[in-house]
Amino acid sequence: MSSWLTIFEFIVIKTIGVCLDPMFWMIMLLVAWQYWQARKRQKAMFGVVTFSMRQHLGYMFLYGLVGGLLGGALLALLGVSFNAMGFSYVWPLAVLLMIASARFICFAYAGGLVALSSAILGWPVVNVPHLLSLVAVLHVVESVLIVLSGRYGDLPSFLRRRDGRVVGAFQLQNFWPLPLVLLMAVAVPAGEARGLTLGASWWPVLPLGLEAPAGQHWLYGLLPVVAALGYADMAVTEPPAQRRWRTAVQLLAYSLLLLALAVASAWLHWLQPVAALLAPVGHEWLIMKGNRRETRGKPFYVPPANGVMVLDTVLDSPARAAGLRSGDILLRVDEQDISSGAELGEALLRAGSTARLQWLREEVELQKELPLPENGRLGVILVPEGGERNVAELTEERFPWQDWWEKRKKGKSFE
């Protein structure tokens, strides 16, 4: 019999061990390549970069480790077991769905569809409550990591909206290699006590659902695996921090509902198709809802009535050292009013080696005197004022049948 503290110690040791797996570092290299590409895009769009590769990779590793520990602890607490989870079906389906759209690689889709087929058709034979509980726990972890990651992964961008207007925005991108530990039930001779067990009447929360061979019983071991989580979103109508919180709260609510249904379905079998359907449909609804809000809502990063708005600050710049933030409105340089990027540049050139900046943050006026480099650059990226050449297109995520339906409503034939 093991105490919960002993089990958690085993989880910590195994999780740290996963970090030494070559597959874990392969994922790290793939993520490093993604961030390197993001820096190239920033350089092409703005001529500068806003983040450090070393910092991003360091925080990604740290948060991935935290997420792995949290996920492993939750899965162990529930008693979610790797046995009969159907990964030989889930992974190939996830790859096929990814070919259709990159966002479909999420296990909410492949895992949900495999679970739905098993619950309704009886094929493939998988443990539906355990599979859906894993999907739910991974999304609980993702919701926590979305908030923890803060500004790491908030990439400024100029986006052209459906009406042709160019606005400032942030592409929110995070990737976390997840050193994860799963329970694995092993049949051992009756009376043998090797393995992990709490010896409590309530544990495991999820019944294993498998009959042990004659003369044997089930005990649990820990199976280290390498997983990965990714988050991609956009912040157009509100600052990135608010957008992250909104997404995280909605994702957490979806995850907890899915987890409750998955656990309950272990006893109420009619809930299994309901929970399986919620996994992909609920996840897709969250994406569509968020995307629609950002593509059709009122943009936040647009030129203000007075002054110029900061979209982001440049890495190792006077602006970042002075504490300027995204959304701040620069009002004056050395008591001279500014109303455009050109006026800001001229005022900084006249200022010399130091400049007194005055800016507005959430209706509170702040000021600070700061040193300037010889080139007079403050190190800010301003919201677009018009005439920008390097912009990204802002598109709305849509179901394939939506275009057909809208053409039907307009009386047009579908081609």
Side-chain angles (χ1 to χ4, degrees), residues 72 256 262 273 278 393 398:
L256 294 178
L278 174 65
E393 296 292 334
R398 299 167 66 83

Side-chain angles (χ1 to χ4, degrees), residues 314-326:
V314 177
L315 181 67
D316 298 327
S317 66
R320 186 164 293 186
L324 279 171
R325 302 178 190 171
S326 172

Side-chain angles (χ1 to χ4, degrees), residues 31 47 74 93 123 147 299 386 392:
V31 175
L74 289 175
L93 181 57
W123 183 90
V147 174

Side-chain angles (χ1 to χ4, degrees), residues 4 7 73-74 76-79 198-207 263 267:
W4 174 244
I7 292 177
L74 289 175
L77 182 65
L78 292 167
L198 281 177
S201 59
W202 58 267
W203 191 85
V205 176
L206 281 172
V263 172
W267 293 273

Side-chain angles (χ1 to χ4, degrees), residues 157-227:
S157 182
F158 292 160
L159 298 181
R160 180 176 286 110
R161 290 164 63 89
R162 298 173 65 188
D163 58 5
R165 184 183 184 187
V166 176
V167 300
F170 280 86
Q171 295 179 353
L172 314 181
Q173 295 181 359
N174 290 106
F175 307 94
W176 305 282
L178 212 63
L180 198 61
V181 176
L182 293 175
L183 292 179
M184 182 78 173
V186 181
V188 299
E192 189 170 323
R194 290 183 305 170
L196 302 176
T197 178
L198 281 177
S201 59
W202 58 267
W203 191 85
V205 176
L206 281 172
L208 185 59
L210 296 174
E211 291 291 335
Q216 296 185 326
H217 70 138
W218 296 110
L219 285 178
Y220 290 96
L222 294 176
L223 178 69
V225 296
V226 178

Side-chain angles (χ1 to χ4, degrees), residues 14 28 48 100 140 228 230-231 247 255 260 290 299 309 337 355 386:
K14 289 284 188 180
M28 286 283 290
V48 292
V140 169
Y231 166 62
T247 300
S255 306
M309 181 181 286
D337 292 340

Side-chain angles (χ1 to χ4, degrees), residues 238-255:
E238 58 190 344
Q242 294 181 21
R243 178 64 185 149
R244 282 179 176 273
W245 270 103
R246 184 188 301 275
T247 300
V249 169
Q250 293 174 346
L251 185 62
L252 182 61
Y254 155 82
S255 306

